[in-house]
């Protein structure tokens, strides 16, 4: 047997961006051809299992279909096909790259040796890199080619680098995750950290820890430290006296006026960059000016406030977290240089790193002129060797890494929240210097030294000491108050109506959108007839696809959205929304047009169209044609209610559904009936439409679908009848104008 000829050919790689036939979440779908490997499951390849598990011993944690630890290894030894193995290899590489991934499936197709393999993919680029790395590793194992732990770690590193490049930063991710816990949908609006939470008119936007309520004026004020202090002082908030200076000589003159010791800092720098503290001589002040000047537009000299740095996070007018800084020092041993001591005693801490998700920053002397100045003040340099036992100060205003939320005095919290209001920020990081955060500032000579817009959250999410704080949840609650959830504002949701099928779906979509508009909502519509905003056609092209639907969901004017999704769109992209209020299924036709996705027959079509029903919200409604195969099974899949519709009340599905108290829409005595269990109500105004206008049965069935959706949306029956009649007349006039 020669294994070098074996190959797993990746025929098609497709990213499903929304809920799909596999899962509610985005996945990467891979069509792969095993070729000759179809005849060589894992149990038949000599040494394969041992080589694979030696490279990836953590595969033992995979439960697989067995449902327990070691389940996948059991499948390996029993014999499983290479598509399934590739699925688990890719998932494990993602796990090793600190992107935990549990979901994956591999299924055969109608072509021998060809499989569809999917795995959870939060980001397309990360998923594609993980697939490429997993494929290369697996082929090396199959072919007995050299591949060791060094290559595994390199592969994991490339995936991790892609994660760092593509994924949300920790502050934004914390807010998005908190929103997800509340079932609030999100849409990433750029390659960075601009994220929309919610849909349409109910949306809010965040950019790291700034929101669309964060005042641009407030942000500009916070960036000007001197102006900030002037405004705070006017409101009685303790701040250090200071002066803006333009030269080193002026800095020393200001220091003499204020009184030593002083601090020198840039007026608009962040994260303590260029800030020098406790300066006591002319040489120190002038050297600090030289460090601060390149970092900002102006330099400030201000009274040095003795004490410890603190950061209080204010969200929506209350303090939700607080962190305390620590003086950073190293201790000499009489042998090592200062640079060596920093590496061995500080940078060796696993909590330190250069990436933003580390709670402590790595100290790089060549990038820290403030630290170099601090060493010079102690008569030292990077190459100096301190005596054994000598404590050397490295940073006076180092990482704010110790949680102290429970220690904050109420008066200090009041001063912090007042400072945020004075500057005009809904989310702010308030920097306070004092000896004890548990005492009022005035009593100990403490002061607020800075107000920061867009504060980092990592210090509160992953403190080096103390308990993490749910600051993402606090910001989410600020943006979406839970007490507003009942009217939609608290959930970030607008009514979304999704429609799938092939029979008159565009007509159904237009009717539902028209009725929503008449009920008082600014309505967006994406269907095969085009893209509409409040009944105004803005695009004539076929808009029954993912991208057009997304345009509606990010539009701040849209108060309700009606979205047509053909079966091909579901298979190609998934649904554009995570959940919907109404999910309409008109039919299960069209399998002949879906051979590219290996869809053959009712059973596979059922899996496609059920995607629309699976995403119906609790409290929502699935609107289903009563003639659908397994209509009642589909109704059971809805997390909300279900309404069946059809011409004939004697249809078996309608009878069974009504016997359980379910709702149905049908025609009796040439009139539209709304039935709930045994109760029936005639819908006014539609009798002549059922009987007139040369309407065929299929057109009437489409009208019933729209009626059922409008009923489920709570639109008054009288408005439904009058609205559909008006729509028909409007359409008739439009057709007449075309003819003339």
């Amino acid at each position: 047997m020669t294994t070098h000829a074996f190959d797993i050919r990746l025929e098609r790689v497709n990213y499903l961006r929304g809920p799909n036939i596999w899962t509610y979440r985005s996945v990467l779908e891979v069509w792969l051809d095993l070729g000759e490997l179809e005849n060589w499951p894992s149990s038949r390849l000599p040494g394969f299992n041992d080589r694979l598990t030696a490279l990836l011993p953590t595969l033992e944690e995979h439960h697989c279909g067995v449902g327990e630890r070691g389940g996948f290894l059991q499948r390996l030894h029993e014999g499983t096909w290479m598509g399934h193995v590739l699925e688990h290899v890719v998932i494990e590489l993602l796990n090793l790259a600190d992107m935990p991934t549990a979901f994956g499936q591999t299924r055969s197709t109608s072509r021998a040796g060809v499989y569809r393999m999917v795995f959870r993919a939060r980001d397309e680029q990360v998923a594609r890199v993980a697939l490429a790395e997993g494929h290369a590793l697996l082929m090396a194992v199959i072919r007995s080619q050299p591949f060791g732990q060094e290559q595994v770690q390199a592969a994991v590193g490339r995936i991790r680098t892609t994660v760092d490049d593509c994924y949300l930063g920790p502050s934004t991710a914390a807010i998005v995750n908190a929103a997800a816990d509340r079932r609030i949908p999100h849409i990433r609006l750029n390659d960075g950290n601009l994220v929309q939470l919610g849909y349409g008119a109910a949306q809010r936007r965040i950019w790291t820890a700034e929101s669309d309520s964060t005042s641009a004026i407030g942000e500009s004020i916070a960036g000007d430290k001197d102006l900030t202090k002037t405004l705070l002082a006017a409101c009685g908030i303790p701040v250090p006296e200071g002066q803006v200076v333009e030269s080193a000589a002026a800095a020393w003159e200001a220091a003499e006026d204020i009184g030593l010791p002083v601090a020198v800092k840039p007026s608009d720098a962040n994260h303590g960059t260029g800030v020098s503290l406790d300066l006591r001589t002319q040489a120190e002040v002038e050297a600090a000016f030289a460090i601060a000047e390149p970092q900002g537009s102006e330099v400030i000299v201000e009274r040095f406030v003795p004490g410890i740095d603190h950061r209080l996070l204010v969200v929506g007018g209350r303090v939700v977290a607080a962190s305390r800084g620590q003086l950073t020092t190293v201790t000499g041993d009489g042998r090592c240089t200062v640079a060596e001591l920093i590496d061995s005693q500080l940078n060796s801490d696993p909590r330190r790193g250069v990436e933003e998700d580390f709670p402590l920053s790595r100290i790089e002397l060549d990038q820290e002129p403030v630290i170099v100045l601090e060493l010079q003040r102690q008569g030292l340099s990077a190459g100096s060797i301190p005596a054994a036992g000598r404590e050397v100060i490295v940073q006076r205003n180092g990482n704010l890494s110790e949680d102290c939320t429970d220690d904050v005095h109420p008066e200090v919290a009041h001063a912090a929240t007042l400072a945020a209001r004075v500057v005009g920020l809904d989310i702010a990081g308030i920097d306070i210097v004092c000896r004890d955060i548990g005492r009022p500032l005035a009593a100990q000579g403490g002061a607020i030294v800075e107000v920061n817009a867009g504060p980092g959250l990592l210090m509160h999410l992953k403190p080096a000491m103390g308990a993490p704080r749910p600051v993402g949840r606090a910001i989410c609650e600020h943006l979406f108050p839970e007490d507003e959830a009942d009217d939609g504002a608290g959930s970030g949701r607008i009514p979304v109506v999704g429609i799938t099928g092939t029979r008159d779906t565009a007509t159904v979509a237009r009717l539902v959108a028209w009725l929503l508009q008449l009920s008082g909502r600014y309505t967006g519509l994406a269907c095969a007839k085009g893209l509409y905003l409040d009944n105004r056609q803005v695009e004539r092209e076929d808009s029954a696809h993912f991208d057009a639907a997304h345009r509606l969901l990010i539009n701040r004017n849209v108060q309700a959205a009606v979205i047509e999704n053909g079966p091909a769109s579901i298979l190609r992209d998934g649904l554009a929304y995570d959940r919907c209020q109404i999910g309409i299924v008109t039919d299960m036709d069209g399998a002949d047009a879906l051979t590219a996705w290996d869809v053959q027959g009712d059973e596979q079509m059922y899996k496609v169209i059920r995607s629309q029903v699976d995403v119906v919200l609790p409290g929502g409604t699935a609107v289903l044609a009563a003639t659908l195969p397994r209509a009642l099974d589909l109704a059971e899949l809805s997390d909300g209610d279900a309404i069946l519709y059809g011409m004939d009340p004697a249809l078996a599905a309608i009878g069974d559904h009504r016997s359980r108290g379910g709702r149905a829409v049908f025609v009796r005595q040439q009139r539209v009936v709304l039935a709930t269990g045994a109760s029936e109500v005639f819908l006014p105004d539609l009798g002549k439409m059922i009987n007139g206008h040369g309407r065929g049965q299929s057109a009437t069935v489409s009208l019933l679908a729209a009626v059922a959706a409008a009923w489920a949306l709570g639109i008054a029956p009288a408005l439904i009848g009058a609205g559909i009649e008006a729509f028909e007349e409007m359409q008739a006039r439009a057709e007449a104008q075309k003819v003339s």
Side-chain angles (χ1 to χ4, degrees):
M1 178 190 67
T2 174
T3 59
H4 285 76
F6 284 155
D7 191 18
I8 299 175
R9 190 161 64 91
L10 307 181
E11 289 192 340
R12 188 197 313 175
V13 180
N14 184 40
Y15 187 58
L16 297 172
R17 294 179 276 179
N20 49 76
I21 64 171
W22 303 98
T23 178
Y24 286 104
R25 299 185 175 92
S26 55
V27 296
L28 196 72
E29 181 184 69
V30 185
W31 293 63
L32 47 90
D33 187 346
L34 298 187
E36 286 297 316
L37 280 168
E38 174 68 2
N39 302 314
W40 294 89
S42 55
S43 58
R44 290 195 62 200
L45 286 172
F48 170 82
N49 294 341
D50 291 339
R51 292 194 300 274
L52 179 63
T53 53
L55 289 178
L56 297 174
T58 44
L59 286 171
E60 185 176 5
E61 302 298 327
H62 291 214
H63 291 203
C64 197
V66 178
E68 60 185 28
R69 185 173 181 268
F72 176 63
L73 298 189
Q74 179 180 327
R75 295 288 304 278
L76 274 179
H77 292 296
E78 292 172 350
T80 190
W81 275 260
M82 289 301 136
H84 182 215
V85 177
L86 178 60
E87 169 201 327
H88 282 269
V89 168
V90 171
I91 287 173
E92 187 52 32
L93 289 177
L94 284 166
N95 290 339
L96 293 172
D98 300 321
M99 287 310 305
T101 304
F103 176 81
Q105 287 188 20
T106 303
R107 296 290 181 265
S108 60
T109 70
S110 59
R111 292 167 54 198
V114 176
Y115 294 79
R116 296 168 78 178
M117 184 266 285
V118 298
F119 59 93
R120 173 78 171 99
R122 297 173 180 83
D123 179 90
E124 182 176 2
Q125 294 307 311
V126 172
R128 287 180 178 273
V129 171
L131 173 64
E133 297 294 345
H135 182 257
L137 184 154
L138 181 57
M139 293 314 306
V141 175
I142 290 171
R143 295 168 177 170
S144 299
Q145 294 171 337
F147 205 100
Q149 281 300 324
E150 183 177 344
Q151 285 78 16
V152 172
Q153 292 309 311
V156 171
R158 286 187 288 270
I159 297 171
R160 188 176 283 126
T161 296
T162 310
V163 170
D164 292 339
D165 291 343
C166 298
Y167 271 53
L168 298 172
S171 295
T172 310
I175 303 168
V176 169
N177 291 338
D181 290 342
R182 291 261 309 271
R183 306 285 192 233
I184 296 169
H186 76 275
I187 299 173
R188 192 171 181 176
L189 297 177
N190 67 356
D191 291 335
N193 289 292
L194 178 61
V195 177
Q196 171 183 318
L197 303 177
Y199 291 149
Q203 71 177 269
R204 302 296 305 274
R205 290 177 182 171
I206 59 169
W207 197 322
T208 60
E210 294 184 61
S211 79
D212 49 14
S213 294
T214 300
S215 163
I217 294 176
E219 185 175 357
S220 297
I221 292 172
D224 187 330
K225 294 178 174 56
D226 191 52
L227 176 59
T228 297
K229 288 196 303 176
T230 299
L231 294 176
L232 297 186
C235 295
I237 299 171
V239 296
E241 175 190 356
Q243 296 180 27
V244 175
V245 298
E246 296 181 351
S247 66
W252 174 242
E253 184 178 343
E256 289 185 303
D257 290 344
I258 294 168
L260 299 171
V262 295
V264 174
K265 61 179 67 174
S267 63
D268 53 4
N270 291 319
H271 309 299
T273 303
V275 177
S276 301
L277 305 174
D278 197 14
L279 306 174
R280 296 174 180 271
T281 69
Q282 181 176 355
E284 291 175 356
V285 171
E286 292 178 347
F289 178 89
I291 292 170
E293 186 179 31
Q295 302 297 329
S297 56
E298 294 179 320
V299 176
I300 298 174
V301 178
E302 64 183 27
R303 173 177 59 85
F304 171 67
V305 181
I308 302 169
D309 288 349
H310 299 79
R311 165 65 64 84
L312 274 60
L313 179 65
V314 175
V315 176
R318 64 188 184 95
V319 173
V320 299
S323 291
R324 177 166 39 226
Q326 293 180 322
L327 189 69
T328 305
T329 65
V330 294
T331 303
D333 60 7
R335 299 186 309 277
C336 297
T337 66
V338 170
E340 291 169 339
L341 293 171
I342 289 174
D343 281 338
S344 63
Q345 297 181 19
L346 298 177
N347 287 338
S348 61
D349 188 333
R351 297 171 298 179
R352 289 188 182 272
V354 295
E355 290 85 10
E356 61 180 352
D357 56 347
F358 283 92
L360 299 173
S361 300
R362 184 175 173 85
I363 296 173
E364 305 289 352
L365 286 175
D366 59 347
Q367 300 174 23
E368 299 280 0
V370 171
I371 295 179
V372 173
L373 176 60
E374 185 63 52
L375 294 175
Q376 291 173 356
R377 295 171 61 195
Q378 300 168 77
L380 299 169
S381 68
S384 301
I385 300 177
R390 178 180 176 181
E391 187 173 65
V392 178
I393 297 174
V394 177
Q395 286 179 309
R396 293 178 182 269
N397 59 338
N399 297 100
L400 296 156
S401 56
E402 179 184 351
D403 178 75
C404 60
T405 305
D406 296 333
D407 301 332
V408 177
H409 192 279
E411 289 192 21
V412 176
H414 173 74
T417 56
L418 177 58
R421 289 200 303 276
V422 168
V423 172
L425 297 174
D426 63 326
I427 303 170
I430 311 298
D431 289 345
I432 296 175
V433 178
C434 63
R435 291 184 173 88
D436 183 359
I437 200 69
R439 296 172 55 209
L441 296 180
Q444 56 180 316
I448 291 179
V449 295
E450 285 186 28
V451 175
N452 301 277
L457 304 182
L458 187 63
M459 66 184 72
H460 308 299
L461 296 167
K462 295 174 63 176
M465 298 176 61
R469 300 290 169 170
V471 292
R473 189 171 68 199
I475 293 174
C476 184
E477 168 63 21
H478 162 61
L479 298 174
F480 298 95
E482 299 237 30
D483 57 6
E484 296 179 4
D486 289 342
D487 63 10
S491 65
R493 294 191 180 276
I494 59 174
V496 173
V497 179
I499 304 169
T500 194
T502 62
R503 298 179 191 169
D504 293 331
T505 46
T507 301
V508 175
R510 293 187 65 192
L511 267 170
V512 175
W514 170 255
L515 293 171
L516 275 166
Q517 181 189 338
L518 290 181
S519 71
R521 297 179 178 94
Y522 186 103
T523 303
L525 166 65
C527 68
K529 297 295 185 181
L531 190 70
Y532 296 79
L533 292 174
D534 222 27
N535 204 40
R536 180 171 61 88
Q537 189 177 46
V538 295
E539 297 258 345
R540 293 185 180 276
E541 293 83 3
D542 184 344
S543 296
H545 54 78
F546 188 100
D547 291 330
H550 248 214
R551 290 176 59 186
L552 298 182
L553 298 177
I554 65 175
N555 189 320
R556 284 181 175 273
N557 290 325
V558 172
Q559 297 171 319
V562 180
I563 296 168
E564 181 186 353
N565 314 279
S569 176
I570 294 174
L571 290 164
R572 181 177 57 248
D573 291 306
L575 297 169
Y577 40 86
D578 67 323
R579 305 297 296 265
C580 64
Q581 186 76 14
I582 308 295
I584 304 174
V585 179
T586 62
D587 60 273
M588 284 173 44
D589 300 343
D592 292 346
L594 303 176
T595 54
W597 287 275
D598 201 44
V599 174
Q600 300 176 359
D602 283 353
E603 186 58 34
Q604 288 172 307
M605 277 300 296
Y606 179 85
K607 293 178 181 179
V608 177
I609 60 102
R610 69 164 285 180
S611 301
Q612 178 61 82
V613 180
D614 285 333
V615 298
V616 172
L617 284 160
T621 305
V623 174
L624 309 171
T627 54
L628 284 166
R630 299 173 61 186
L632 294 178
D633 290 343
L634 280 172
E636 290 296 319
L637 294 175
S638 170
D639 287 342
D641 194 6
I643 297 177
L644 269 57
Y645 69 90
M647 288 291 292
D648 187 356
L651 286 166
I654 288 179
D656 287 348
H657 190 58
R658 292 184 66 189
S659 70
R660 305 172 192 174
R663 293 193 285 173
V665 176
F666 50 84
V667 175
R668 175 180 284 130
Q669 299 173 359
Q670 303 298 309
R671 300 174 71 183
V672 175
V673 177
L674 310 181
T676 303
S679 173
E680 296 184 359
V681 175
F682 287 108
L683 191 68
D685 300 325
L686 292 186
K688 65 181 180 182
M689 293 181 59
I690 297 295
N691 300 314
H693 298 305
R695 176 180 295 279
Q697 179 168 312
S698 64
T700 300
V701 172
S702 299
L703 183 147
L704 297 180
V707 167
W711 185 25
L713 286 163
I715 298 174
L719 181 58
I720 296 174
I724 291 180
E725 184 175 8
F727 181 84
E728 290 281 331
E729 291 174 355
M730 182 177 63
Q731 292 298 104
R733 287 197 302 270
E735 290 298 323
Q737 288 174 358
K738 287 181 182 179
V739 172
S740 63

